[in-house]
Amino acid sequence: MFKRYPSIQSMQAFLHAAKVGSFSSAARQLSLTHSAISQQIRTLEEFVGQPLFARESGRVVLTDAGVLLANQLADSFEQIDRALSSVKERKVAQPVTVDVDPELAQNWLVARLPALLDALAGVPVTLLSTPRHERGAFERVDIALRYGYGEWDGFENALICGDRLTVMGSPELLRQRGMSAPLTPEQILALPLLGYTKRSWIPWLAAADMPEVEPHAVAVFDNAASLIAAATAGVGAGLARGLLAADAQRDGKLIALTSIAIPTHYNLYAVWPRDRTDRVAPLIEAVRQLVQQTTGTE
Protein backbone atom coordinates (compact mmCIF):
# COMPACT_ATOMS: atom_id res chain seq x y z
CA MET A 1 0.00 0.00 0.00
CA PHE A 2 1.25 3.51 -0.83
CA LYS A 3 2.36 5.40 2.27
CA ARG A 4 2.47 9.18 2.53
CA TYR A 5 5.61 10.84 3.90
CA PRO A 6 6.47 14.42 4.77
CA SER A 7 7.91 16.44 1.91
CA ILE A 8 11.62 16.46 1.14
CA GLN A 9 11.50 20.25 1.65
CA SER A 10 10.21 19.90 5.21
CA MET A 11 12.95 17.41 6.08
CA GLN A 12 15.63 19.66 4.52
CA ALA A 13 14.26 22.66 6.44
CA PHE A 14 14.45 20.63 9.65
CA LEU A 15 18.08 19.58 9.01
CA HIS A 16 19.18 23.15 8.22
CA ALA A 17 17.51 24.51 11.34
CA ALA A 18 19.04 21.72 13.41
CA LYS A 19 22.49 22.54 12.07
CA VAL A 20 22.45 26.31 12.63
CA GLY A 21 20.11 26.41 15.66
CA SER A 22 17.95 29.10 14.10
CA PHE A 23 14.84 29.13 11.95
CA SER A 24 15.76 32.57 10.57
CA SER A 25 19.27 31.49 9.50
CA ALA A 26 17.90 28.32 7.92
CA ALA A 27 15.30 30.40 6.05
CA ARG A 28 18.00 32.64 4.60
CA GLN A 29 20.12 29.66 3.48
CA LEU A 30 17.13 28.10 1.74
CA SER A 31 15.81 31.42 0.34
CA LEU A 32 12.58 31.00 2.28
CA THR A 33 10.65 33.15 4.77
CA HIS A 34 10.79 32.50 8.48
CA SER A 35 7.11 31.56 8.46
CA ALA A 36 7.66 29.06 5.64
CA ILE A 37 10.42 27.30 7.58
CA SER A 38 8.26 27.28 10.71
CA GLN A 39 5.32 25.79 8.82
CA GLN A 40 7.43 23.02 7.26
CA ILE A 41 8.92 22.04 10.61
CA ARG A 42 5.48 22.16 12.23
CA THR A 43 4.21 19.80 9.51
CA LEU A 44 7.08 17.42 10.26
CA GLU A 45 6.38 17.55 13.99
CA GLU A 46 2.72 16.76 13.38
CA PHE A 47 3.77 13.73 11.32
CA VAL A 48 6.09 12.31 14.01
CA GLY A 49 3.66 13.27 16.78
CA GLN A 50 6.06 15.16 19.05
CA PRO A 51 8.19 18.34 19.22
CA LEU A 52 11.54 18.32 17.46
CA PHE A 53 12.78 21.67 18.76
CA ALA A 54 12.67 23.51 22.06
CA ARG A 55 13.43 27.23 22.57
CA GLU A 56 16.39 27.93 24.83
CA SER A 57 18.08 31.33 25.35
CA GLY A 58 16.85 32.78 22.06
CA ARG A 59 17.87 29.73 20.10
CA VAL A 60 16.14 26.55 19.05
CA VAL A 61 17.67 23.30 20.24
CA LEU A 62 16.80 19.77 19.33
CA THR A 63 14.72 17.62 21.61
CA ASP A 64 15.76 14.00 22.10
CA ALA A 65 13.37 13.03 19.30
CA GLY A 66 14.87 15.78 17.14
CA VAL A 67 18.43 14.50 17.72
CA LEU A 68 17.40 10.97 16.72
CA LEU A 69 15.59 12.17 13.60
CA ALA A 70 18.41 14.50 12.55
CA ASN A 71 20.99 11.70 12.73
CA GLN A 72 18.81 9.30 10.77
CA LEU A 73 17.84 11.85 8.11
CA ALA A 74 21.43 12.98 7.59
CA ASP A 75 22.48 9.41 6.79
CA SER A 76 19.47 8.95 4.53
CA PHE A 77 20.18 12.09 2.51
CA GLU A 78 23.78 10.96 2.03
CA GLN A 79 22.48 7.69 0.57
CA ILE A 80 20.13 9.61 -1.73
CA ASP A 81 23.02 11.79 -2.90
CA ARG A 82 25.12 8.71 -3.67
CA ALA A 83 22.26 7.07 -5.56
CA LEU A 84 21.63 10.16 -7.69
CA SER A 85 25.33 10.69 -8.36
CA SER A 86 25.71 7.10 -9.54
CA VAL A 87 23.38 7.70 -12.48
CA LYS A 88 23.56 11.45 -13.04
CA GLU A 89 24.71 12.29 -16.57
CA ARG A 90 25.64 8.66 -17.08
CA LYS A 91 24.25 6.71 -19.99
CA VAL A 92 22.83 3.44 -18.67
CA ALA A 93 22.74 0.72 -21.32
CA GLN A 94 19.35 -0.85 -21.86
CA PRO A 95 19.47 -4.66 -22.02
CA VAL A 96 18.69 -6.49 -25.26
CA THR A 97 16.30 -9.41 -24.80
CA VAL A 98 17.12 -12.33 -27.08
CA ASP A 99 15.01 -15.44 -27.61
CA VAL A 100 17.40 -18.23 -28.63
CA ASP A 101 16.48 -21.54 -30.25
CA PRO A 102 17.19 -24.16 -27.56
CA GLU A 103 19.37 -26.24 -29.92
CA LEU A 104 21.51 -23.22 -30.78
CA ALA A 105 21.80 -22.13 -27.15
CA GLN A 106 22.81 -25.60 -25.98
CA ASN A 107 25.35 -26.46 -28.65
CA TRP A 108 26.80 -23.16 -29.83
CA LEU A 109 25.85 -19.88 -28.18
CA VAL A 110 26.81 -20.45 -24.55
CA ALA A 111 30.46 -21.12 -25.45
CA ARG A 112 30.53 -17.85 -27.42
CA LEU A 113 28.65 -15.69 -24.96
CA PRO A 114 31.81 -13.90 -23.68
CA ALA A 115 32.74 -12.95 -27.25
CA LEU A 116 29.18 -11.81 -27.97
CA LEU A 117 29.09 -9.61 -24.86
CA ASP A 118 32.47 -8.10 -25.80
CA ALA A 119 31.17 -7.31 -29.28
CA LEU A 120 28.13 -5.55 -27.80
CA ALA A 121 30.40 -3.20 -25.83
CA GLY A 122 28.75 -3.41 -22.44
CA VAL A 123 25.12 -3.76 -23.51
CA PRO A 124 23.59 -6.34 -21.13
CA VAL A 125 21.77 -9.29 -22.69
CA THR A 126 18.77 -11.21 -21.37
CA LEU A 127 18.57 -14.70 -22.90
CA LEU A 128 15.31 -16.64 -23.21
CA SER A 129 14.46 -19.96 -24.87
CA THR A 130 10.76 -20.24 -25.64
CA PRO A 131 9.12 -23.12 -27.51
CA ARG A 132 9.19 -22.78 -31.30
CA HIS A 133 5.41 -22.77 -31.64
CA GLU A 134 5.00 -19.67 -29.46
CA ARG A 135 4.85 -17.04 -32.17
CA GLY A 136 3.88 -14.41 -29.62
CA ALA A 137 7.39 -14.67 -28.17
CA PHE A 138 8.64 -12.48 -31.04
CA GLU A 139 6.55 -9.62 -29.72
CA ARG A 140 7.95 -9.91 -26.20
CA VAL A 141 11.64 -9.76 -27.11
CA ASP A 142 13.95 -7.50 -29.08
CA ILE A 143 15.18 -10.28 -31.34
CA ALA A 144 14.89 -14.05 -31.77
CA LEU A 145 17.47 -16.47 -33.17
CA ARG A 146 15.35 -19.25 -34.64
CA TYR A 147 15.60 -22.12 -37.10
CA GLY A 148 12.98 -21.93 -39.82
CA TYR A 149 12.21 -21.23 -43.47
CA GLY A 150 12.32 -17.44 -43.30
CA GLU A 151 8.54 -17.09 -43.16
CA TRP A 152 7.57 -14.81 -40.29
CA ASP A 153 4.85 -12.48 -41.54
CA GLY A 154 4.72 -9.16 -39.76
CA PHE A 155 8.33 -9.32 -38.57
CA GLU A 156 11.69 -8.48 -40.08
CA ASN A 157 14.07 -11.40 -40.55
CA ALA A 158 17.54 -12.03 -41.88
CA LEU A 159 19.31 -15.26 -42.72
CA ILE A 160 22.23 -15.76 -40.35
CA CYS A 161 23.66 -18.80 -42.08
CA GLY A 162 22.77 -21.61 -44.40
CA ASP A 163 24.14 -24.99 -43.36
CA ARG A 164 24.82 -28.51 -44.51
CA LEU A 165 23.98 -31.90 -43.05
CA THR A 166 26.76 -34.47 -42.83
CA VAL A 167 26.78 -37.94 -41.29
CA MET A 168 28.88 -37.70 -38.14
CA GLY A 169 29.96 -40.10 -35.45
CA SER A 170 32.57 -40.48 -32.75
CA PRO A 171 36.05 -41.88 -33.36
CA GLU A 172 35.25 -44.50 -30.70
CA LEU A 173 32.27 -45.71 -32.73
CA LEU A 174 34.59 -46.44 -35.66
CA ARG A 175 37.36 -47.87 -33.50
CA GLN A 176 35.02 -50.42 -31.96
CA ARG A 177 34.13 -51.63 -35.47
CA GLY A 178 37.60 -51.50 -36.92
CA MET A 179 36.57 -48.80 -39.42
CA SER A 180 38.15 -45.57 -40.55
CA ALA A 181 36.63 -42.58 -42.30
CA PRO A 182 35.59 -41.90 -44.95
CA LEU A 183 32.97 -44.65 -45.06
CA THR A 184 30.90 -45.78 -47.99
CA PRO A 185 27.11 -45.24 -47.81
CA GLU A 186 26.71 -49.01 -47.31
CA GLN A 187 29.07 -48.95 -44.32
CA ILE A 188 27.19 -46.02 -42.79
CA LEU A 189 23.87 -47.84 -43.03
CA ALA A 190 25.46 -50.77 -41.22
CA LEU A 191 26.13 -48.54 -38.20
CA PRO A 192 23.61 -47.84 -35.43
CA LEU A 193 21.83 -44.75 -36.71
CA LEU A 194 20.34 -41.80 -34.88
CA GLY A 195 17.11 -40.19 -36.03
CA TYR A 196 15.66 -36.71 -35.66
CA THR A 197 11.92 -36.07 -35.56
CA LYS A 198 12.17 -33.06 -37.89
CA ARG A 199 14.43 -34.68 -40.45
CA SER A 200 14.44 -37.76 -42.68
CA TRP A 201 17.46 -39.70 -43.89
CA ILE A 202 15.89 -39.97 -47.36
CA PRO A 203 17.38 -36.75 -48.89
CA TRP A 204 20.84 -37.92 -47.84
CA LEU A 205 20.20 -41.40 -49.23
CA ALA A 206 19.15 -39.82 -52.54
CA ALA A 207 22.37 -37.77 -52.64
CA ALA A 208 24.32 -40.99 -51.96
CA ASP A 209 22.51 -42.87 -54.79
CA MET A 210 21.05 -45.31 -52.28
CA PRO A 211 17.50 -46.71 -52.13
CA GLU A 212 15.27 -44.00 -50.66
CA VAL A 213 13.88 -46.02 -47.76
CA GLU A 214 13.98 -44.57 -44.26
CA PRO A 215 16.48 -46.68 -42.27
CA HIS A 216 15.92 -48.01 -38.77
CA ALA A 217 17.17 -45.71 -36.01
CA VAL A 218 18.29 -46.98 -32.62
CA ALA A 219 17.22 -43.68 -31.05
CA VAL A 220 15.19 -40.72 -32.27
CA PHE A 221 15.53 -37.18 -30.85
CA ASP A 222 13.38 -34.07 -30.99
CA ASN A 223 16.38 -31.87 -30.26
CA ALA A 224 19.35 -31.69 -32.63
CA ALA A 225 21.72 -30.79 -29.81
CA SER A 226 20.73 -33.97 -27.96
CA LEU A 227 21.35 -35.99 -31.13
CA ILE A 228 24.85 -34.51 -31.39
CA ALA A 229 25.50 -35.30 -27.74
CA ALA A 230 24.45 -38.91 -28.32
CA ALA A 231 26.69 -39.17 -31.39
CA THR A 232 29.58 -37.73 -29.38
CA ALA A 233 28.97 -40.39 -26.73
CA GLY A 234 29.29 -43.14 -29.37
CA VAL A 235 25.62 -44.16 -29.40
CA GLY A 236 25.45 -44.02 -33.18
CA ALA A 237 25.87 -41.98 -36.35
CA GLY A 238 23.54 -39.13 -37.23
CA LEU A 239 22.94 -36.32 -39.67
CA ALA A 240 24.33 -33.22 -37.97
CA ARG A 241 24.39 -29.54 -38.81
CA GLY A 242 27.84 -28.15 -39.36
CA LEU A 243 27.28 -25.17 -37.06
CA LEU A 244 25.92 -27.18 -34.14
CA ALA A 245 28.58 -29.89 -34.47
CA ALA A 246 31.52 -27.53 -35.03
CA ASP A 247 32.83 -27.52 -31.47
CA ALA A 248 32.65 -31.30 -31.12
CA GLN A 249 34.49 -31.66 -34.44
CA ARG A 250 37.15 -29.16 -33.41
CA ASP A 251 37.71 -31.07 -30.16
CA GLY A 252 37.98 -34.40 -32.01
CA LYS A 253 34.83 -35.80 -30.38
CA LEU A 254 32.99 -36.06 -33.71
CA ILE A 255 34.20 -36.70 -37.23
CA ALA A 256 32.49 -36.53 -40.61
CA LEU A 257 32.07 -40.13 -41.72
CA THR A 258 31.61 -39.29 -45.39
CA SER A 259 32.08 -36.39 -47.80
CA ILE A 260 28.44 -36.66 -48.91
CA ALA A 261 26.57 -33.67 -47.51
CA ILE A 262 23.23 -32.10 -48.30
CA PRO A 263 22.11 -28.48 -47.88
CA THR A 264 19.62 -27.64 -45.19
CA HIS A 265 16.44 -25.73 -45.96
CA TYR A 266 15.54 -25.15 -42.33
CA ASN A 267 18.13 -22.54 -41.44
CA LEU A 268 19.13 -20.07 -38.75
CA TYR A 269 17.44 -16.68 -38.93
CA ALA A 270 17.28 -13.54 -36.84
CA VAL A 271 13.67 -12.37 -36.38
CA TRP A 272 12.68 -9.06 -34.82
CA PRO A 273 9.81 -6.53 -34.59
CA ARG A 274 10.04 -3.91 -37.33
CA ASP A 275 10.40 -1.01 -34.92
CA ARG A 276 13.58 -2.44 -33.37
CA THR A 277 15.82 -2.70 -36.43
CA ASP A 278 18.35 -0.10 -35.27
CA ARG A 279 18.43 -1.56 -31.77
CA VAL A 280 19.21 -5.12 -32.84
CA ALA A 281 21.54 -4.40 -35.77
CA PRO A 282 24.76 -4.64 -33.65
CA LEU A 283 23.67 -8.00 -32.22
CA ILE A 284 22.86 -9.41 -35.67
CA GLU A 285 26.28 -8.38 -36.94
CA ALA A 286 28.01 -9.83 -33.87
CA VAL A 287 26.22 -13.18 -34.26
CA ARG A 288 27.06 -13.28 -37.97
CA GLN A 289 30.74 -12.69 -37.20
CA LEU A 290 30.77 -15.49 -34.63
CA VAL A 291 29.05 -17.85 -37.07
CA GLN A 292 31.62 -17.03 -39.75
CA GLN A 293 34.44 -17.67 -37.30
CA THR A 294 32.88 -21.03 -36.41
CA THR A 295 32.35 -22.19 -39.98
CA GLY A 296 35.56 -20.68 -41.37
CA THR A 297 33.72 -18.55 -43.95
CA GLU A 298 35.25 -15.18 -43.04
Side-chain angles (χ1 to χ4, degrees):
M1 180 181 294
F2 177 75
K3 187 174 182 179
R4 297 185 63 87
Y5 293 98
S7 68
I8 292 291
Q9 289 79 7
S10 67
M11 289 185 278
Q12 288 177 323
F14 164 72
L15 285 176
H16 274 78
K19 182 177 180 181
V20 299
S22 166
F23 286 8
S24 298
S25 295
R28 285 194 297 272
Q29 291 178 2
L30 295 173
S31 299
L32 297 172
T33 65
H34 183 281
S35 61
I37 285 283
S38 298
Q39 179 59 45
Q40 289 180 345
I41 292 175
R42 188 159 48 249
T43 299
L44 191 58
E45 289 177 326
E46 290 174 354
F47 183 87
V48 299
Q50 56 187 311
L52 299 174
F53 288 99
R55 292 197 171 275
E56 186 177 293
S57 302
R59 288 173 52 84
V60 291
V61 295
L62 291 169
T63 62
D64 290 344
V67 171
L68 177 62
L69 182 61
N71 290 336
Q72 296 288 341
L73 283 183
D75 291 341
S76 299
F77 274 107
E78 286 183 9
Q79 292 180 6
I80 292 172
D81 287 340
R82 286 196 296 271
L84 293 174
S85 297
S86 68
V87 296
K88 186 178 181 181
E89 298 179 357
R90 184 178 297 180
K91 186 176 181 181
V92 179
Q94 294 297 313
V96 175
T97 302
V98 188
D99 175 42
V100 186
D101 185 285
E103 296 174 343
L104 185 73
Q106 183 178 340
N107 252 52
W108 183 80
L109 184 62
V110 170
R112 290 161 180 82
L113 194 54
L116 179 62
L117 295 176
D118 286 345
L120 294 179
V123 176
V125 175
T126 299
L127 297 173
L128 307 175
S129 288
T130 56
R132 289 190 179 100
H133 65 272
E134 288 192 20
R135 177 183 173 83
F138 296 154
E139 299 171 352
R140 299 193 296 269
V141 300
D142 294 306
I143 188 169
L145 298 175
R146 290 287 188 93
Y147 280 102
Y149 299 103
E151 298 175 354
W152 289 281
D153 293 339
F155 295 89
E156 296 292 334
N157 71 81
L159 178 66
I160 296 297
C161 77
D163 213 334
R164 297 181 70 79
L165 294 171
T166 306
V167 182
M168 296 189 189
S170 70
E172 179 64 16
L173 181 71
L174 297 187
R175 188 192 66 77
Q176 290 177 354
R177 289 161 174 76
M179 296 177 170
S180 60
L183 303 182
T184 66
E186 291 80 6
Q187 288 175 308
I188 287 174
L189 291 179
L191 295 172
L193 300 180
L194 305 177
Y196 182 48
T197 55
K198 302 178 184 68
R199 181 182 304 134
S200 168
W201 275 83
I202 289 178
W204 183 86
L205 293 171
D209 293 324
M210 296 290 289
E212 298 177 26
V213 178
E214 191 71 27
H216 170 72
V218 297
V220 179
F221 300 87
D222 67 353
N223 181 294
S226 298
L227 184 150
I228 290 171
T232 301
V235 176
L239 287 166
R241 290 180 176 275
L243 181 64
L244 298 184
D247 291 347
Q249 280 192 284
R250 180 201 61 210
D251 296 340
K253 297 176 181 178
L254 277 184
I255 57 175
L257 303 184
T258 173
S259 60
I260 302 170
I262 58 174
T264 57
H265 302 291
Y266 193 70
N267 289 310
L268 180 61
Y269 285 82
V271 187
W272 67 93
R274 288 171 175 163
D275 62 349
R276 300 181 196 177
T277 297
D278 291 341
R279 178 169 172 73
V280 302
L283 187 139
I284 294 173
E285 180 58 27
V287 171
R288 276 205 176 110
Q289 290 292 326
L290 291 172
V291 167
Q292 290 171 358
Q293 293 170 14
T294 305
T295 58
T297 57
E298 290 185 287

